[in-house]
Amino acid sequence: MPTDDPQARRPRAAAAAARSPGASPRPPVSKGPVEVELRAVVGMPAEPVAGTVAILGRPNVGKSTLLNQIVGQKLAIVSPKPQTTRNRILGIWNGGAGQMVFVDTPGVHPARSALNRYMVDEAMGAVEGVEAALLVVEPPDSSAAVKVAPAERQILDALGRSRTPVVLVINKVDTLADKTSLIPVLEAWNAIASFAALIPVSARRGSGVRDIVIELARLLPVGKPLFDAELLTDRTERFLVGELIREQLFLELRQELPYATAVLIDNWEERAERGDVVIDATIVVERDSQKVIVLGKGGAMIKDIGTRARHEVDELLGRPAHLRLFVKVAPEWTSSTTDVARMGYRS
Ligand code: GDP
Ligand code: MG
């Protein structure tokens, strides 16, 4: 049966490994979700909770890393460059405490282009209809005092208007040589707004992440799961594959070039007899000069991007993938609302 557009489901580890013999040199990204049983949550009714939780903050603070760490699966792409994430992505956590539906969002920032305005709208739109929110921030430079950035103020005001409880997550604490420096930082944040909790974590290493889930189990209402327990995200495999290609563009290309790119999946062919999949995708850029860079000398750059993305795609799909990448120019597409929508960025 060709499954050309299913939503991504929890992988059955053994089956996935068997179908993907030696396809990827990388260790599996799936570690399974953070585990929290009801009895870990002091003061909880003995019934499972269910609810939606927005992950909000400025660009590059580690929101996507946090989502992946909580659900134990790489759903959202991550790069050292700000504004890697462009759409909302749901990651569904299931555990003894119930079901929590996390919404990863693009970073909130001053937006000028049509694409950036779409991204900020995606993020701020996530405030509606959630039962709780995580505001993710980084520790300030040791000497600097805690300051609320305009984007954080905008997020806090919107959450205040909808009376959504907010947990402040101070991420990247692994970068602090002296953990006691966190105490005045926590005190300063505590004076800024009325947070349900303040939790220092390292999303990259996973430390403190379980405390977030425990806190949310206290905040979310008792209820029936919103999604089938097998489902990992609302996004299709097709979308996630496009994202994995885009991640390589963010990791491999320098300066502003990644911001001028989009990825379209043109064709998806499941080959049942071979147990693999052939995927054609187009990388869209804004100018001919950018196309030259993406192709690289003798096609070296696009080959490299394809190889790296394929390893990730194999891992995601649990079966070998063949990627065929093409490059196309769509002049100044990031400036036009219509073109931005054409690249898949529409609400
Ligand atoms: P987002 O833009 O908020 O989604 O941030 P990302 O998840 O894409 O992460 C941005 C950068 O911060 C990447 O280079 C991550 O590897 C890095 N990062 C995320 N979490 C941590 C952390 O806990 N510690 C450190 N040192 N780096 C982190
Ligand atoms: Mg992100």
Side-chain angles (χ1 to χ4, degrees), residues 37-97:
E37 297 302 317
L38 265 181
R39 57 188 154 70
V41 186
V42 178
M44 266 283 298
E47 282 180 67
V49 300
T52 307
V53 183
I55 306 177
L56 294 157
R58 296 164 64 201
N60 222 32
V61 293
K63 299 177 294 299
S64 297
T65 308
L66 182 61
L67 175 88
N68 294 343
Q69 191 65 251
I70 292 172
V71 299
Q73 178 80 24
K74 179 164 168 182
L75 285 178
I77 61 169
V78 168
S79 95
K81 290 194 164 71
Q83 299 163 27
T84 307
T85 305
R86 290 180 179 164
N87 309 81
R88 279 180 232 163
I89 299 172
L90 298 193
I92 304 164
W93 179 90
N94 289 284

CSV table of all heavy atoms in Angstrom, one decimal, residues 37-97:
chain,number,residue,atom,x,y,z
A,37,GLU,N,5.0,9.5,35.7
A,37,GLU,CA,3.8,8.8,36.2
A,37,GLU,C,3.0,9.7,37.1
A,37,GLU,O,3.6,10.7,37.6
A,37,GLU,CB,4.2,7.6,37.0
A,37,GLU,CG,5.0,6.5,36.2
A,37,GLU,CD,4.3,6.0,35.0
A,37,GLU,OE1,3.0,5.8,35.1
A,37,GLU,OE2,4.9,5.9,33.9
A,38,LEU,N,1.8,9.4,37.2
A,38,LEU,CA,0.9,10.3,38.0
A,38,LEU,C,1.4,10.4,39.4
A,38,LEU,O,1.4,11.5,40.0
A,38,LEU,CB,-0.5,9.7,38.1
A,38,LEU,CG,-1.5,10.3,37.0
A,38,LEU,CD1,-2.8,9.6,37.3
A,38,LEU,CD2,-1.6,11.8,37.1
A,39,ARG,N,1.9,9.3,40.0
A,39,ARG,CA,2.3,9.4,41.4
A,39,ARG,C,3.5,10.3,41.6
A,39,ARG,O,3.8,10.7,42.7
A,39,ARG,CB,2.6,8.0,41.9
A,39,ARG,CG,3.7,7.2,41.2
A,39,ARG,CD,3.7,5.8,41.6
A,39,ARG,NE,4.2,4.9,40.6
A,39,ARG,CZ,5.5,4.9,40.1
A,39,ARG,NH1,6.4,5.7,40.7
A,39,ARG,NH2,5.8,4.1,39.1
A,40,ALA,N,4.2,10.7,40.5
A,40,ALA,CA,5.3,11.7,40.6
A,40,ALA,C,4.8,13.1,40.9
A,40,ALA,O,5.6,14.0,41.2
A,40,ALA,CB,6.2,11.6,39.4
A,41,VAL,N,3.5,13.3,40.7
A,41,VAL,CA,3.0,14.6,40.7
A,41,VAL,C,2.2,14.9,42.0
A,41,VAL,O,1.1,14.4,42.2
A,41,VAL,CB,2.1,14.9,39.5
A,41,VAL,CG1,1.7,16.4,39.4
A,41,VAL,CG2,2.8,14.5,38.2
A,42,VAL,N,2.9,15.6,42.9
A,42,VAL,CA,2.3,15.8,44.2
A,42,VAL,C,1.1,16.7,44.0
A,42,VAL,O,1.1,17.7,43.3
A,42,VAL,CB,3.3,16.5,45.2
A,42,VAL,CG1,2.7,16.8,46.5
A,42,VAL,CG2,4.5,15.6,45.3
A,43,GLY,N,0.0,16.4,44.7
A,43,GLY,CA,-1.2,17.2,44.6
A,43,GLY,C,-2.0,17.0,43.4
A,43,GLY,O,-2.9,17.8,43.1
A,44,MET,N,-1.8,16.0,42.6
A,44,MET,CA,-2.6,15.7,41.4
A,44,MET,C,-3.7,14.8,41.7
A,44,MET,O,-3.6,13.9,42.5
A,44,MET,CB,-1.7,15.0,40.4
A,44,MET,CG,-1.0,15.9,39.4
A,44,MET,SD,-2.1,16.4,38.1
A,44,MET,CE,-2.6,14.9,37.4
A,45,PRO,N,-4.9,15.0,41.1
A,45,PRO,CA,-5.9,14.0,41.2
A,45,PRO,C,-5.5,12.8,40.5
A,45,PRO,O,-4.6,12.9,39.6
A,45,PRO,CB,-7.1,14.7,40.4
A,45,PRO,CG,-6.5,15.7,39.6
A,45,PRO,CD,-5.3,16.2,40.2
A,46,ALA,N,-5.9,11.6,40.9
A,46,ALA,CA,-5.4,10.4,40.4
A,46,ALA,C,-6.0,10.0,39.0
A,46,ALA,O,-6.3,8.9,38.7
A,46,ALA,CB,-5.6,9.2,41.4
A,47,GLU,N,-6.1,11.0,38.2
A,47,GLU,CA,-6.6,10.8,36.8
A,47,GLU,C,-5.8,11.5,35.8
A,47,GLU,O,-5.2,12.6,36.1
A,47,GLU,CB,-8.1,11.3,36.7
A,47,GLU,CG,-9.1,10.4,37.3
A,47,GLU,CD,-10.5,11.0,37.2
A,47,GLU,OE1,-10.9,11.0,36.0
A,47,GLU,OE2,-11.1,11.4,38.2
A,48,PRO,N,-5.6,10.9,34.6
A,48,PRO,CA,-4.7,11.5,33.6
A,48,PRO,C,-5.2,12.9,33.1
A,48,PRO,O,-6.4,13.2,33.0
A,48,PRO,CB,-4.8,10.5,32.5
A,48,PRO,CG,-5.4,9.3,33.0
A,48,PRO,CD,-6.2,9.7,34.2
A,49,VAL,N,-4.3,13.8,32.8
A,49,VAL,CA,-4.6,15.1,32.3
A,49,VAL,C,-4.5,15.1,30.8
A,49,VAL,O,-4.0,14.1,30.2
A,49,VAL,CB,-3.6,16.2,32.8
A,49,VAL,CG1,-3.6,16.2,34.4
A,49,VAL,CG2,-2.2,15.9,32.3
A,50,ALA,N,-5.1,16.1,30.2
A,50,ALA,CA,-5.0,16.3,28.7
A,50,ALA,C,-5.0,17.8,28.4
A,50,ALA,O,-5.8,18.5,29.0
A,50,ALA,CB,-6.1,15.6,28.0
A,51,GLY,N,-4.1,18.2,27.6
A,51,GLY,CA,-4.1,19.6,27.2
A,51,GLY,C,-3.0,20.0,26.3
A,51,GLY,O,-2.1,19.2,26.0
A,52,THR,N,-3.1,21.2,25.8
A,52,THR,CA,-2.2,21.7,24.8
A,52,THR,C,-1.3,22.8,25.4
A,52,THR,O,-1.8,23.6,26.2
A,52,THR,CB,-3.0,22.3,23.6
A,52,THR,OG1,-3.9,21.3,23.2
A,52,THR,CG2,-2.1,22.7,22.4
A,53,VAL,N,0.0,22.8,25.1
A,53,VAL,CA,1.0,23.6,25.7
A,53,VAL,C,1.8,24.3,24.6
A,53,VAL,O,2.5,23.6,23.8
A,53,VAL,CB,1.9,22.8,26.6
A,53,VAL,CG1,2.9,23.7,27.3
A,53,VAL,CG2,1.1,22.0,27.6
A,54,ALA,N,1.8,25.6,24.5
A,54,ALA,CA,2.6,26.4,23.5
A,54,ALA,C,4.0,26.6,24.1
A,54,ALA,O,4.2,26.8,25.2
A,54,ALA,CB,1.9,27.7,23.3
A,55,ILE,N,5.0,26.4,23.2
A,55,ILE,CA,6.4,26.6,23.5
A,55,ILE,C,6.7,27.9,22.8
A,55,ILE,O,6.8,28.0,21.6
A,55,ILE,CB,7.3,25.5,23.1
A,55,ILE,CG1,6.8,24.2,23.6
A,55,ILE,CG2,8.7,25.8,23.5
A,55,ILE,CD1,7.7,23.0,23.2
A,56,LEU,N,7.0,29.0,23.6
A,56,LEU,CA,7.1,30.3,23.0
A,56,LEU,C,8.4,31.0,23.4
A,56,LEU,O,9.0,30.6,24.5
A,56,LEU,CB,6.0,31.2,23.4
A,56,LEU,CG,4.6,30.8,22.8
A,56,LEU,CD1,3.5,31.4,23.7
A,56,LEU,CD2,4.4,31.3,21.4
A,57,GLY,N,8.9,31.9,22.7
A,57,GLY,CA,10.1,32.6,23.1
A,57,GLY,C,10.8,33.3,21.9
A,57,GLY,O,10.3,33.2,20.7
A,58,ARG,N,11.9,34.0,22.1
A,58,ARG,CA,12.6,34.6,21.0
A,58,ARG,C,13.3,33.5,20.2
A,58,ARG,O,13.4,32.4,20.6
A,58,ARG,CB,13.7,35.6,21.6
A,58,ARG,CG,13.1,36.7,22.4
A,58,ARG,CD,14.1,37.3,23.3
A,58,ARG,NE,15.1,38.0,22.5
A,58,ARG,CZ,16.3,38.3,22.9
A,58,ARG,NH1,16.7,37.9,24.2
A,58,ARG,NH2,17.2,38.8,22.2
A,59,PRO,N,13.8,33.9,19.0
A,59,PRO,CA,14.5,33.0,18.1
A,59,PRO,C,15.7,32.4,18.8
A,59,PRO,O,16.4,33.1,19.6
A,59,PRO,CB,14.9,33.8,16.9
A,59,PRO,CG,14.0,35.0,16.9
A,59,PRO,CD,13.7,35.3,18.3
A,60,ASN,N,16.0,31.1,18.6
A,60,ASN,CA,17.3,30.5,19.0
A,60,ASN,C,17.5,30.2,20.4
A,60,ASN,O,18.6,29.9,20.9
A,60,ASN,CB,18.4,31.4,18.5
A,60,ASN,CG,19.6,30.6,17.9
A,60,ASN,OD1,19.3,29.6,17.3
A,60,ASN,ND2,20.8,31.1,18.1
A,61,VAL,N,16.4,30.3,21.2
A,61,VAL,CA,16.6,30.0,22.7
A,61,VAL,C,16.5,28.5,23.0
A,61,VAL,O,16.8,28.1,24.1
A,61,VAL,CB,15.5,30.8,23.5
A,61,VAL,CG1,15.7,32.3,23.5
A,61,VAL,CG2,14.1,30.4,23.1
A,62,GLY,N,16.1,27.7,22.0
A,62,GLY,CA,16.1,26.3,22.2
A,62,GLY,C,14.7,25.6,22.3
A,62,GLY,O,14.6,24.6,22.8
A,63,LYS,N,13.7,26.3,21.7
A,63,LYS,CA,12.4,25.8,21.7
A,63,LYS,C,12.2,24.4,21.0
A,63,LYS,O,11.6,23.5,21.6
A,63,LYS,CB,11.4,26.8,21.1
A,63,LYS,CG,11.4,28.2,21.8
A,63,LYS,CD,10.4,29.1,21.1
A,63,LYS,CE,10.9,29.5,19.7
A,63,LYS,NZ,12.2,30.2,19.6
A,64,SER,N,12.8,24.4,19.8
A,64,SER,CA,12.7,23.1,19.1
A,64,SER,C,13.4,22.0,19.7
A,64,SER,O,13.0,20.8,19.8
A,64,SER,CB,13.1,23.3,17.6
A,64,SER,OG,12.3,24.3,17.0
A,65,THR,N,14.6,22.3,20.2
A,65,THR,CA,15.4,21.3,21.0
A,65,THR,C,14.6,20.8,22.1
A,65,THR,O,14.6,19.5,22.4
A,65,THR,CB,16.7,21.9,21.5
A,65,THR,OG1,17.4,22.6,20.4
A,65,THR,CG2,17.6,20.9,22.1
A,66,LEU,N,13.9,21.6,22.8
A,66,LEU,CA,13.1,21.3,24.0
A,66,LEU,C,11.9,20.3,23.6
A,66,LEU,O,11.7,19.3,24.2
A,66,LEU,CB,12.6,22.5,24.7
A,66,LEU,CG,11.7,22.3,25.9
A,66,LEU,CD1,12.6,21.6,27.0
A,66,LEU,CD2,11.2,23.6,26.5
A,67,LEU,N,11.3,20.7,22.5
A,67,LEU,CA,10.2,19.9,22.0
A,67,LEU,C,10.7,18.4,21.7
A,67,LEU,O,10.1,17.4,22.2
A,67,LEU,CB,9.5,20.4,20.7
A,67,LEU,CG,8.5,19.5,20.1
A,67,LEU,CD1,7.1,19.8,20.7
A,67,LEU,CD2,8.4,19.6,18.6
A,68,ASN,N,11.8,18.4,21.0
A,68,ASN,CA,12.3,17.0,20.6
A,68,ASN,C,12.7,16.2,21.9
A,68,ASN,O,12.5,15.0,21.9
A,68,ASN,CB,13.6,17.2,19.7
A,68,ASN,CG,13.2,17.8,18.4
A,68,ASN,OD1,12.1,17.8,18.0
A,68,ASN,ND2,14.2,18.3,17.7
A,69,GLN,N,13.3,16.9,22.8
A,69,GLN,CA,13.7,16.3,24.1
A,69,GLN,C,12.5,15.7,24.9
A,69,GLN,O,12.5,14.6,25.4
A,69,GLN,CB,14.5,17.3,24.9
A,69,GLN,CG,15.2,16.7,26.1
A,69,GLN,CD,16.3,15.7,25.7
A,69,GLN,OE1,16.2,14.5,25.9
A,69,GLN,NE2,17.4,16.2,25.1
A,70,ILE,N,11.4,16.5,24.9
A,70,ILE,CA,10.2,16.1,25.7
A,70,ILE,C,9.6,14.8,25.0
A,70,ILE,O,9.3,13.9,25.7
A,70,ILE,CB,9.2,17.2,25.8
A,70,ILE,CG1,9.8,18.3,26.7
A,70,ILE,CG2,7.9,16.7,26.4
A,70,ILE,CD1,8.9,19.6,26.7
A,71,VAL,N,9.4,14.9,23.7
A,71,VAL,CA,8.7,13.8,23.0
A,71,VAL,C,9.7,12.6,22.7
A,71,VAL,O,9.3,11.5,22.3
A,71,VAL,CB,7.9,14.2,21.8
A,71,VAL,CG1,6.8,15.2,22.1
A,71,VAL,CG2,8.8,14.7,20.7
A,72,GLY,N,11.0,12.9,22.8
A,72,GLY,CA,12.0,11.8,22.6
A,72,GLY,C,12.1,11.4,21.2
A,72,GLY,O,12.5,10.3,20.9
A,73,GLN,N,11.9,12.4,20.3
A,73,GLN,CA,12.0,12.1,18.9
A,73,GLN,C,12.3,13.4,18.1
A,73,GLN,O,11.7,14.4,18.5
A,73,GLN,CB,10.6,11.5,18.4
A,73,GLN,CG,10.5,11.2,17.0
A,73,GLN,CD,11.1,9.9,16.6
A,73,GLN,OE1,11.2,9.0,17.5
A,73,GLN,NE2,11.5,9.7,15.4
A,74,LYS,N,13.1,13.3,17.1
A,74,LYS,CA,13.4,14.5,16.4
A,74,LYS,C,12.2,14.9,15.4
A,74,LYS,O,12.0,14.3,14.4
A,74,LYS,CB,14.7,14.4,15.6
A,74,LYS,CG,15.0,15.7,14.8
A,74,LYS,CD,16.3,15.7,14.3
A,74,LYS,CE,16.5,16.8,13.3
A,74,LYS,NZ,17.9,16.8,12.8
A,75,LEU,N,11.4,15.8,15.9
A,75,LEU,CA,10.3,16.3,15.1
A,75,LEU,C,10.6,17.7,14.5
A,75,LEU,O,10.3,17.9,13.3
A,75,LEU,CB,9.1,16.5,15.9
A,75,LEU,CG,8.4,15.2,16.4
A,75,LEU,CD1,7.2,15.5,17.3
A,75,LEU,CD2,7.9,14.4,15.1
A,76,ALA,N,11.2,18.5,15.3
A,76,ALA,CA,11.5,19.9,14.9
A,76,ALA,C,12.9,20.0,14.5
A,76,ALA,O,13.8,19.5,15.2
A,76,ALA,CB,11.1,20.9,16.0
A,77,ILE,N,13.2,20.7,13.4
A,77,ILE,CA,14.6,20.9,13.0
A,77,ILE,C,15.3,21.9,13.9
A,77,ILE,O,14.7,22.8,14.4
A,77,ILE,CB,14.8,21.2,11.5
A,77,ILE,CG1,14.1,22.5,11.2
A,77,ILE,CG2,14.3,20.0,10.7
A,77,ILE,CD1,14.4,23.0,9.8
A,78,VAL,N,16.6,21.8,14.1
A,78,VAL,CA,17.4,22.7,15.0
A,78,VAL,C,18.6,23.1,14.3
A,78,VAL,O,19.3,22.4,13.6
A,78,VAL,CB,17.8,21.8,16.2
A,78,VAL,CG1,18.8,22.6,17.1
A,78,VAL,CG2,16.6,21.5,17.1
A,79,SER,N,19.0,24.4,14.4
A,79,SER,CA,20.3,24.9,13.9
A,79,SER,C,20.8,26.0,14.8
A,79,SER,O,20.0,26.6,15.5
A,79,SER,CB,20.1,25.3,12.4
A,79,SER,OG,19.9,26.7,12.4
A,80,PRO,N,22.1,26.3,14.7
A,80,PRO,CA,22.6,27.5,15.5
A,80,PRO,C,22.1,28.8,14.9
A,80,PRO,O,22.3,29.8,15.6
A,80,PRO,CB,24.1,27.4,15.3
A,80,PRO,CG,24.3,26.1,14.7
A,80,PRO,CD,23.1,25.7,13.9
A,81,LYS,N,21.4,28.8,13.8
A,81,LYS,CA,20.9,30.1,13.2
A,81,LYS,C,19.5,30.4,13.8
A,81,LYS,O,18.7,29.5,13.9
A,81,LYS,CB,20.9,30.0,11.7
A,81,LYS,CG,22.2,30.0,11.0
A,81,LYS,CD,22.0,30.2,9.6
A,81,LYS,CE,23.3,30.6,8.9
A,81,LYS,NZ,24.2,29.4,8.8
A,82,PRO,N,19.3,31.7,14.1
A,82,PRO,CA,17.9,32.0,14.5
A,82,PRO,C,16.9,31.9,13.4
A,82,PRO,O,17.3,31.8,12.2
A,82,PRO,CB,18.0,33.5,14.9
A,82,PRO,CG,19.2,34.0,14.2
A,82,PRO,CD,20.2,32.9,14.0
A,83,GLN,N,15.6,31.7,13.7
A,83,GLN,CA,14.5,31.6,12.7
A,83,GLN,C,14.6,30.4,11.8
A,83,GLN,O,14.3,30.5,10.6
A,83,GLN,CB,14.5,32.9,11.9
A,83,GLN,CG,14.2,34.1,12.7
A,83,GLN,CD,14.5,35.4,12.0
A,83,GLN,OE1,14.5,35.5,10.8
A,83,GLN,NE2,14.8,36.5,12.8
A,84,THR,N,15.1,29.3,12.4
A,84,THR,CA,15.1,28.0,11.7
A,84,THR,C,13.7,27.5,11.5
A,84,THR,O,13.3,27.0,10.4
A,84,THR,CB,15.9,27.0,12.4
A,84,THR,OG1,17.2,27.6,12.7
A,84,THR,CG2,16.1,25.7,11.6
A,85,THR,N,12.9,27.6,12.6
A,85,THR,CA,11.5,27.1,12.6
A,85,THR,C,10.6,28.1,11.9
A,85,THR,O,10.6,29.3,12.3
A,85,THR,CB,11.0,26.8,14.0
A,85,THR,OG1,12.0,26.0,14.7
A,85,THR,CG2,9.6,26.2,14.1
A,86,ARG,N,9.7,27.6,11.0
A,86,ARG,CA,8.8,28.6,10.3
A,86,ARG,C,7.4,28.3,10.6
A,86,ARG,O,6.5,29.2,10.3
A,86,ARG,CB,9.1,28.6,8.8
A,86,ARG,CG,10.4,29.2,8.5
A,86,ARG,CD,10.7,29.1,7.0
A,86,ARG,NE,11.9,29.7,6.6
A,86,ARG,CZ,12.6,29.6,5.4
A,86,ARG,NH1,12.0,28.8,4.5
A,86,ARG,NH2,13.7,30.1,5.2
A,87,ASN,N,7.0,27.1,11.0
A,87,ASN,CA,5.6,26.7,11.2
A,87,ASN,C,5.4,26.2,12.6
A,87,ASN,O,6.4,25.8,13.3
A,87,ASN,CB,5.2,25.6,10.3
A,87,ASN,CG,5.5,25.8,8.9
A,87,ASN,OD1,6.6,25.6,8.4
A,87,ASN,ND2,4.5,26.2,8.1
A,88,ARG,N,4.2,26.2,13.1
A,88,ARG,CA,3.9,25.5,14.3
A,88,ARG,C,4.0,24.0,14.0
A,88,ARG,O,3.6,23.6,13.0
A,88,ARG,CB,2.4,25.8,14.7
A,88,ARG,CG,2.2,27.1,15.4
A,88,ARG,CD,0.7,27.2,15.7
A,88,ARG,NE,0.2,28.5,15.2
A,88,ARG,CZ,-1.0,28.8,15.0
A,88,ARG,NH1,-2.0,27.9,15.2
A,88,ARG,NH2,-1.4,30.0,14.6
A,89,ILE,N,4.5,23.3,15.0
A,89,ILE,CA,4.6,21.8,14.9
A,89,ILE,C,4.1,21.2,16.2
A,89,ILE,O,4.6,21.6,17.2
A,89,ILE,CB,6.1,21.4,14.6
A,89,ILE,CG1,6.5,22.0,13.3
A,89,ILE,CG2,6.2,19.9,14.5
A,89,ILE,CD1,8.0,21.8,13.0
A,90,LEU,N,3.2,20.3,16.1
A,90,LEU,CA,2.7,19.7,17.3
A,90,LEU,C,3.6,18.5,17.6
A,90,LEU,O,4.0,17.7,16.7
A,90,LEU,CB,1.3,19.1,17.2
A,90,LEU,CG,0.2,20.1,17.0
A,90,LEU,CD1,-1.2,19.4,17.2
A,90,LEU,CD2,0.3,21.3,17.8
A,91,GLY,N,4.0,18.3,18.9
A,91,GLY,CA,4.6,17.1,19.4
A,91,GLY,C,3.8,16.5,20.5
A,91,GLY,O,3.5,17.2,21.5
A,92,ILE,N,3.4,15.3,20.3
A,92,ILE,CA,2.4,14.7,21.3
A,92,ILE,C,3.1,13.8,22.3
A,92,ILE,O,3.8,12.8,21.9
A,92,ILE,CB,1.3,13.9,20.5
A,92,ILE,CG1,0.6,14.9,19.5
A,92,ILE,CG2,0.2,13.4,21.5
A,92,ILE,CD1,-0.2,14.2,18.4
A,93,TRP,N,3.0,14.2,23.6
A,93,TRP,CA,3.6,13.4,24.7
A,93,TRP,C,2.5,12.6,25.3
A,93,TRP,O,1.5,13.1,25.7
A,93,TRP,CB,4.2,14.4,25.7
A,93,TRP,CG,4.9,13.7,26.9
A,93,TRP,CD1,6.1,13.3,27.0
A,93,TRP,CD2,4.2,13.3,28.1
A,93,TRP,NE1,6.3,12.6,28.2
A,93,TRP,CE2,5.2,12.7,28.9
A,93,TRP,CE3,2.9,13.5,28.6
A,93,TRP,CZ2,4.9,12.2,30.2
A,93,TRP,CZ3,2.6,13.0,29.9
A,93,TRP,CH2,3.6,12.4,30.6
A,94,ASN,N,2.8,11.3,25.5
A,94,ASN,CA,1.9,10.4,26.2
A,94,ASN,C,2.7,9.8,27.4
A,94,ASN,O,3.8,9.3,27.2
A,94,ASN,CB,1.4,9.3,25.3
A,94,ASN,CG,0.4,9.8,24.3
A,94,ASN,OD1,-0.8,10.1,24.6
A,94,ASN,ND2,0.9,10.0,23.1
A,95,GLY,N,2.1,9.7,28.5
A,95,GLY,CA,2.8,9.1,29.6
A,95,GLY,C,1.8,8.8,30.7
A,95,GLY,O,0.5,9.0,30.6
A,96,GLY,N,2.3,8.3,31.8
A,96,GLY,CA,1.4,7.9,33.0
A,96,GLY,C,0.6,9.1,33.4
A,96,GLY,O,-0.5,8.9,33.9
A,97,ALA,N,1.1,10.3,33.3
A,97,ALA,CA,0.4,11.5,33.8
A,97,ALA,C,-0.7,12.0,32.8
A,97,ALA,O,-1.5,12.8,33.1
A,97,ALA,CB,1.3,12.6,34.0
